Amino acid sequence: MYNLNPPGVFCQEWDRPVGIDEQVMATVTAAFGPDSDEATTMRMMLDYRKIYGPHIPLGAAGQLDLIFADTALAAQLARSTGSARDDTRDSLHSLHAQGMLLIADDGSLWMTVPPGTPFSAANGQ
């Protein structure tokens, strides 16, 4: 997603955790404790990194998780696909990471097809 340079206020802040997961978590838990808010946040960041790659769109990924928590979207999609809610969440984050599901400036979701991908129109239209 980072290389697509997506538009909008939710994709202006990017983070890049440095180090391998085990080292990063060991550092955070040693400094703050394994049950701290900092450790919870870092676990979430490392989970995002598995989906988004090294560059994580913090605002957009967080907004997507809020949409899942505050709406029936994830539950409806899980029911209609027969998937577990967590798998549905990961799938939607994957679509987001590919640039096919974006967060509008008002916080809503919108579908798109990034230019130059197999499903985009000829000549980038």
Side-chain angles (χ1 to χ4, degrees):
M1 171 170 243
Y2 181 79
N3 292 335
L4 294 173
N5 192 24
V9 297
F10 288 96
C11 285
Q12 292 184 10
E13 185 179 344
W14 297 81
D15 199 349
R16 185 177 181 166
V18 177
I20 62 171
D21 293 1
E22 294 79 15
Q23 291 173 331
V24 172
M25 280 310 303
T27 301
V28 171
T29 56
F32 302 103
D35 297 325
S36 65
D37 289 342
E38 291 84 358
T40 300
T41 299
M42 187 52 68
R43 277 190 285 278
M44 182 176 58
M45 294 276 295
L46 296 175
D47 183 47
Y48 286 154
R49 179 162 72 175
K50 291 175 188 162
I51 298 169
Y52 290 96
H55 298 280
I56 303 165
L58 292 179
Q63 178 64 17
L64 195 51
D65 276 341
L66 285 175
I67 290 170
F68 295 151
D70 294 342
T71 70
L73 176 64
Q76 290 172 346
L77 289 171
R79 253 192 325 276
S80 68
T81 62
S83 300
R85 185 178 165 94
D86 286 345
D87 291 340
T88 301
R89 174 195 170 270
D90 290 350
S91 293
L92 289 173
H93 271 288
S94 179
L95 288 171
H96 183 241
Q98 295 172 58
M100 300 184 96
L101 182 66
L102 298 177
I103 311 292
D105 285 351
D106 67 1
S108 63
L109 295 176
W110 54 285
M111 297 283 301
T112 185
V113 178
T117 61
F119 296 108
S120 64
N123 300 321
Q125 299 178 4

